[in-house]
Amino acid sequence: FLKEIRIMRQLIANCVGDVASNWDTIERLCTFTSGASWSLKRRYGDPSNKFGLDKPAVTSNCLGLAEYVVRQIPLWRGQLSDFHLAAGNKVTTVAKNAKTERTIAIEPELNMYCQRGIGRYIRRCLSRVGNSLKYQTRNQDLALVGSWSGEVATLDLKGASDTLSLGVCE
């Protein structure tokens, strides 16, 4: 199992590259979405409202990065009075369907802003090596092959999207 983790780490490193040397690119990809955030309900979640917060929320783990990205935008930096240090995200549920609730995490604004840039960067890297998360055609084609031939299969685990192998990410 450790050999497989080493192989996965190398594949990820080859795809993503040296994040520190690509920070200029990542920084340009940072943005807000119109969703809810730590300080704002969804109906007030417009990016302009998030940029307009006097004290946007951030966790202590993200504080250094948040201070850096805010310094890169003089207008934003100039209107902030401080940061609100949040202990973490707010966990709640939303309706998944008529019978089931889905757990969500509402992030502090500056964590969200930085996470978005890093996520968009990773998506670009994956796309360059033929693994686009935007288009599902490859997955659909493989599912079709699997249904005809049994040559390939998918595994649908309950809660799989909530599962992450930390060993691979470390």
Side-chain angles (χ1 to χ4, degrees), residues 101-116:
E101 294 280 306
R102 179 172 63 96
T103 304
I104 62 167
I106 301 172
E107 297 293 334
E109 289 80 27
L110 292 170
N111 290 56
M112 175 188 294
Y113 184 81
C114 295
Q115 289 168 1
R116 180 104 165 117

Side-chain angles (χ1 to χ4, degrees), residues 18 29 31 39 56 94 99 121 143-144 157 161:
D18 179 22
L29 296 171
T31 187
S39 304
V94 295
K99 296 180 183 179
Y121 172 75
L144 184 60
L157 299 173
S161 62

Side-chain angles (χ1 to χ4, degrees), residues 5-119:
I5 287 178
R6 277 196 305 277
I7 291 168
M8 286 185 273
R9 284 180 180 167
Q10 190 58 55
L11 288 169
I12 292 168
N14 291 345
C15 176
V16 175
D18 179 22
V19 173
S21 67
N22 290 301
W23 185 251
D24 287 344
T25 301
I26 294 170
E27 185 184 319
R28 286 189 300 275
L29 296 171
C30 291
T31 187
F32 285 120
T33 65
S34 59
S37 67
W38 204 89
S39 304
L40 299 168
K41 294 189 179 298
R42 189 176 190 336
R43 71 177 157 266
Y44 304 111
D46 189 79
S48 64
N49 291 332
K50 291 173 184 151
F51 278 115
L53 287 168
D54 186 39
K55 290 177 73 170
V58 64
T59 61
S60 59
N61 287 341
C62 188
L63 182 60
L65 184 56
E67 289 172 334
Y68 174 81
V69 297
V70 167
R71 278 195 308 267
Q72 306 311 306
I73 305 173
L75 287 174
W76 195 12
R77 178 184 67 228
Q79 66 95 36
L80 290 179
S81 65
D82 200 359
F83 298 114
H84 176 86
L85 204 55
N89 55 31
K90 294 178 181 178
V91 177
T92 188
T93 59
V94 295
K96 182 175 183 177
N97 56 43
K99 296 180 183 179
T100 310
E101 294 280 306
R102 179 172 63 96
T103 304
I104 62 167
I106 301 172
E107 297 293 334
E109 289 80 27
L110 292 170
N111 290 56
M112 175 188 294
Y113 184 81
C114 295
Q115 289 168 1
R116 180 104 165 117
I118 293 166

